[in-house]
Amino acid sequence: MKKKYVYILAFVIIAILGYNSVYFKKLSDVKNAKKENFDFKAYADSIYYKGILKSKKTIALTNLISSVKTNQEAAFKKYGNRLGIGNSAYFMIQSTGKIIDIKDGIYTIADEKNGVVYIDTKYIFGNALRDASGLVKLTDFKTNAQFNKVSESLNDIVRNEVIPKEIKKVQIGDSVSFSGAIKLSKKQTLFTDLLIIPSQIKLQ
């Protein structure tokens, strides 16, 4: 009978020691710890070079305008991206044209097929590139601040690394190819004064 109590006591002691020597972190805590050390610069590099520059969602501007005029809902669904509800969406476009003016970082382009468009090479802020790419989801991040940090890192790459190297090669009168993000509204009937947040400008 005494052996029985000895075994029970030994089991209790082992259980107590085991409980206090092993612990499990919540999965959410582990994920949060990883997010705190998240390398936004490396992530944005990947989004830009492996995503945006190779995106199959990028459409010729003239084709996008034609699609929107033909079937707005279908064009917005196929080529546009928006995070919530609303009449506006972001699109990744590409086109060609001639530089006819440069003023305060705004390049005025006589687009070969779409009239005059504007490329902002100086004030590359906001979420246009991130959202137009359709490659980043809010649900991938715990907070809006982290989500917006992706935009900041992406904009930094384009504004400080990509565009300066490319625009120093071009001047007024040059023909260029360009790509970038634009915002369109479903209430929009005319496609004038389009402002493009560039992802790339190249001398033709």
Side-chain angles (χ1 to χ4, degrees):
M1 193 65 179
K2 288 182 178 178
K3 284 186 177 180
K4 178 180 178 182
Y5 291 119
V6 170
Y7 290 147
I8 292 174
L9 180 60
F11 176 79
V12 171
I13 292 173
I14 291 172
I16 292 174
L17 290 175
Y19 177 79
N20 287 302
S21 61
V22 179
Y23 68 95
F24 299 93
K25 286 185 177 181
K26 291 181 180 179
L27 180 59
S28 59
D29 291 340
V30 174
K31 286 183 176 179
N32 290 341
K34 288 183 178 179
K35 288 286 172 61
E36 290 174 0
N37 299 319
F38 193 81
D39 188 341
F40 287 95
K41 174 66 168 61
Y43 182 66
D45 268 336
S46 177
I47 292 294
Y48 177 74
Y49 290 102
K50 297 180 181 178
I52 289 177
L53 293 187
K54 299 179 179 179
S55 176
K56 294 181 179 178
K57 289 195 68 172
T58 301
I59 180 174
L61 179 57
T62 188
N63 291 342
L64 175 61
I65 293 174
S66 176
S67 296
V68 170
K69 288 180 177 177
T70 302
N71 188 330
Q72 188 186 69
E73 283 296 331
F76 268 62
K77 184 177 181 180
K78 185 174 183 179
Y79 303 110
N81 189 53
R82 58 185 177 187
L83 299 183
I85 60 175
N87 289 314
S88 300
Y90 289 100
F91 301 81
M92 290 301 302
I93 60 92
Q94 60 186 9
S95 194
T96 57
K98 180 177 289 187
I99 301 172
I100 58 175
D101 192 23
I102 302 172
K103 188 176 296 180
D104 195 26
I106 302 292
Y107 281 54
T108 304
I109 308 291
D111 188 290
E112 291 182 349
K113 298 180 179 178
N114 306 295
V116 173
V117 299
Y118 302 91
I119 301 177
D120 189 343
T121 66
K122 187 175 181 179
Y123 300 103
I124 302 175
F125 297 102
N127 302 315
L129 289 171
R130 181 199 68 189
D131 293 349
S133 75
L135 299 171
V136 188
K137 298 178 181 177
L138 176 59
T139 52
D140 293 338
F141 297 89
K142 184 180 179 181
T143 66
N144 284 333
Q146 292 172 334
F147 189 48
N148 291 334
K149 184 70 176 174
V150 177
S151 283
E152 293 173 17
S153 299
L154 188 57
N155 291 338
D156 284 345
I157 291 170
V158 175
R159 183 177 58 248
N160 300 323
E161 300 176 17
V162 177
I163 295 302
K165 291 179 183 176
E166 296 181 346
I167 62 175
K168 70 179 181 181
K169 304 173 187 174
V170 302
Q171 57 187 350
I172 293 175
D174 285 340
S175 293
V176 294
S177 61
F178 54 90
S179 59
I182 62 171
K183 184 179 182 180
L184 294 180
S185 168
K186 289 183 177 179
K187 296 181 179 178
Q188 198 165 342
T189 56
L190 299 175
F191 296 91
T192 57
D193 299 329
L194 288 179
L195 180 64
I196 299 163
I197 301 300
S199 56
Q200 202 169 43
I201 302 172
K202 284 190 174 297
L203 182 65
Q204 282 191 307

